[in-house]
Amino acid sequence: MNKRIRFIATLLASVVLMLMLPEPVMSRTKPDATASTDNGFVNNIVISGNRAISTEEIRSVMSTKENTRYFGVFKPWVGIHRFADHLFNDPRGAYTHKTLLSSQNNVKKWMQESLGEAPIAFVSDDFRRDIALIRKLYTYKGYFFAIIDTTIRASDNGAQQNIFISIEENTPTRIDTISYQGLDNLDTAAASLYLKQSKLKVQDIFSVDNLLEERDRSINFFKEYGYALMHEDSISIQIDTVGVLAGVKVDLRLPQKLEYGPVKAVLHDPRKPDDPNAMRAFSLDNVDVTVYGNPRISDKLVTNYTAYRPGQLTQQSLQQKTLQNLGSTNIFSSIFIRRDSVQNGKLYTSIHLEPKPRHLIEPSIYADNRYGNLFLGTSLGYENRNLLKNAENLKIKGDFGMQLGTSNDLLSNLEDGQYEKYRAYELGLSASLVMPELKKPGSAYEATLEYNRSRLPILLDNQTGLLRASYNTSLNPRSRLNIDFFELEWVQKDSLNGFKQLFKTDLADNIGIDPTSSMDVDNALDSLLETNINQTFRVQYYSSNRKDPYRTTTHTWNAAIEAVGSLAWLIDEYIDTGSYAGYSDDDPQIFGTSYSQFFKISTQYSFTRKLSENTEVAGRVFAGWMAPYGKADDTPEERRFFAGGPNSMRGWLFNTLGPASNDNEVAANLGADIRLEGNLEYRIKFFKVFGQPSGIAVFTDLGNIWDRSGTYGLTFNSLYEDIAWDMGVGLRIGSPIGPFRFDFAYKLYDPSQKPEPWQLSNWTPGDYTFNFGIGEPF
């Protein structure tokens, strides 16, 4: 009896002392240097057996992380019984409960002795919560009988922890019956549609996620059919489970069906409280409008953009469309619809609006290494958001950027005395006016005027002027259509000192010109440097789910079709019938100026999928083709496709890849008529800079540009043999204007290095291509 009492007392004393030991559970504060033996480092977490739920999703619910040091002694889950037996059976008889109470250090020592040479595996309260969360996650997914087993292997006296989580998912619970109650007052067509769109299906795996999705769908569905007061408490879902079968009963309690009562719109002055003495009220198109202050907004703007009217059955989509319509004007800083009251089956609502400041001045800077050296620029923009009271948007912008260095690798074949060193620069001036179509919210006309001048690193000075008139409209909440029904571009190229020599050494052979023939060279230069007009008709389609709040992956797709020169050809044929020096009847020209004729088609698809809070994968595919027609024999250099740079193939500098297997970077700067490219990135954010998420990206790029025919033309063989390939890693430093990108790329396959295009054997640590930019590449 005394031995049993002694055992119980000793055991209780040991437990009490273990609970009294220092235990800052999973604390990540800096440890005291003297307490290094009390540290724990989670070295590795291995999850196995999971098929229904991804490893990333499981890790996302866990607070215990790999490669993380936790400080303090954690409570043991194992060893206590062996420890108690050791105390009870110790022949020395020295381990009494009084001794135990005298020294915590002895307890640690005895615990180590009780387990022999094997280190103790410690587990924190946070990890116990992690296991509970994993069990809960499996329950939510319908795996009620999943078994979560854990093994913790420790080394280095318990300092290193390796956690193994083994999951036995077992058979999931499936829905065997579904019933809906409360649809008696719903008309037959609406009830049939409601049941058809159900997210719950017989034989589907039962999951809480599906139940929540069905609840939200039901609320949104009935709000479209006049039940504006439908909410979560209007739906109850009962589950009857037997083994791996679940019966689902959905009980609906539909509220009163409503129509819209009087609709009221209120424009508030954001600079001061509403003042009844400075108020103007009127009624227009069945909308009562109250205006405080003098917001300089057209009376018709608010009423035309309000999508619902008194007497209509309440519909959630009409209120959402109203918010979208008013938001698309970009003149309101605050927009919300308030339910004021319900009376006699009518819902009284009011739309509250606060205008933005009318004027905006926006300076910005940009930087990259587009020409090999650091290129730094600045821009200044002015915006008037409501020029003529109908949400007309006027933008005026000027920008200037310059390469900071004078060195130019593209001129390496010229002697220093054959050209003057200079800095490449770009100057741009633009103005645009967007005029919304009041009778068709979401649609607008736009007029654009631009002037650009650039000094390129291949001894060319370019000037362009542009006049464009466009119409764009919303096809649905996810897509838009833009039509440039008139665009006229004027292009003038001037050569700098040394360009003729550069043409002979680097360009002539690549475009089929004999560099030793002075006549051929002069004719080619005259053609290349002549002033040109591009008259364009363009249709662009854009689709994206960025505004979808339930998206797991962001998709964006756009496509464009251009027909250039059709109107200019009509003028050439039927209006300007005169002759001009240097032109024949077969040359495309109007009033003594050449014009281009070509078709151009391009499309791009990009996606971003968030894998966890700090990781995502993103990709892009681009394809483009263009070809001359009519009187034209070639396409203009300024409209061609290019490859290489921070937003393209990052293993090559800006516009220095291609066409095909071409090994001359100067020729690559003239572009080509076909482009195929794919990009893929894996982005990880794991630290912050000035409060902005930052990290790294691992990427690979695949693609090139090709001519339509000739040495560098696209064929089945060249498509396989001339696809360039790179891979690399980039540093992402977060900022309010987007991440600063520092990309280091290595060429895997360089078609310009035939007959040995594979570059793996030639890799050295410093043989990378560096590209710099601001914002994500796609």
Side-chain angles (χ1 to χ4, degrees), residues 65-79:
K65 305 297 182 183
E66 290 180 325
N67 301 319
T68 307
R69 183 171 296 282
Y70 301 97
F71 304 105
V73 177
F74 309 130
K75 293 180 180 179
W77 280 12
V78 295

Side-chain angles (χ1 to χ4, degrees), residues 293-446:
N294 183 24
R296 287 181 52 84
I297 294 176
S298 168
D299 294 344
K300 293 184 178 180
L301 180 66
V302 176
T303 58
N304 283 4
Y305 278 35
T306 300
Y308 62 97
R309 292 292 186 271
Q312 287 181 290
L313 200 66
T314 59
Q315 287 182 257
Q316 181 176 247
S317 61
L318 292 178
Q319 294 177 218
Q320 291 175 341
K321 186 175 182 181
T322 300
L323 296 175
Q324 292 171 357
N325 290 345
L326 294 169
S328 67
T329 64
N330 195 35
I331 64 173
F332 299 109
S333 61
S334 174
I335 308 170
F336 68 93
I337 298 176
R338 186 173 67 191
R339 296 175 179 174
D340 294 326
S341 63
V342 175
Q343 301 177 28
N344 301 321
K346 296 185 181 297
L347 176 64
Y348 290 71
T349 63
S350 56
I351 306 168
H352 295 263
L353 306 164
E354 287 189 5
K356 290 181 179 179
R358 186 180 174 193
H359 306 282
L360 175 67
I361 296 178
E362 184 177 15
S364 63
I365 60 172
Y366 56 93
D368 55 41
N369 62 328
R370 65 187 67 185
Y371 299 133
N373 294 72
L374 179 62
F375 189 92
L376 186 64
T378 183
S379 67
L380 181 65
Y382 164 75
E383 181 178 0
N384 187 317
R385 296 190 175 105
N386 192 19
L387 183 65
L388 302 173
K389 297 186 179 182
N390 287 318
E392 298 88 355
N393 188 280
L394 173 66
K395 290 183 178 180
I396 300 174
K397 184 180 180 182
D399 60 83
F400 178 78
M402 176 177 284
Q403 180 177 290
L404 298 188
T406 58
S407 61
N408 196 330
D409 295 337
L410 299 181
L411 306 180
S412 58
N413 289 334
L414 300 184
E415 301 293 337
D416 288 342
Q418 292 180 316
Y419 71 97
E420 294 181 4
K421 291 188 177 181
Y422 67 97
R423 292 182 174 89
Y425 70 83
E426 295 180 4
L427 168 69
L429 301 171
S430 64
S432 65
L433 177 63
V434 178
M435 297 162 287
E437 191 176 0
L438 290 183
K439 294 183 178 181
K440 192 176 181 182
S443 301
Y445 292 92
E446 181 176 359

Side-chain angles (χ1 to χ4, degrees), residues 13 72 121 148 191 208 219 302 349 478 552 579 645 712 728 741 750 778:
I148 315 298
V208 176
I219 293 173
V302 176
T349 63
R478 288 190 172 193
T552 56
S579 59
Y712 306 120
R741 293 187 287 116
D750 185 355
F778 45 84

Side-chain angles (χ1 to χ4, degrees), residues 167-199:
I167 300 171
E168 186 179 346
E169 294 179 340
N170 293 317
T171 304
T173 299
R174 295 185 180 274
I175 299 173
D176 65 339
T177 60
I178 306 172
S179 64
Y180 289 86
Q181 305 294 326
L183 298 176
D184 300 338
N185 296 329
L186 200 64
D187 65 80
T188 304
S192 176
L193 181 61
Y194 170 73
L195 294 174
K196 183 179 179 181
Q197 294 177 348
S198 175
K199 299 294 183 181

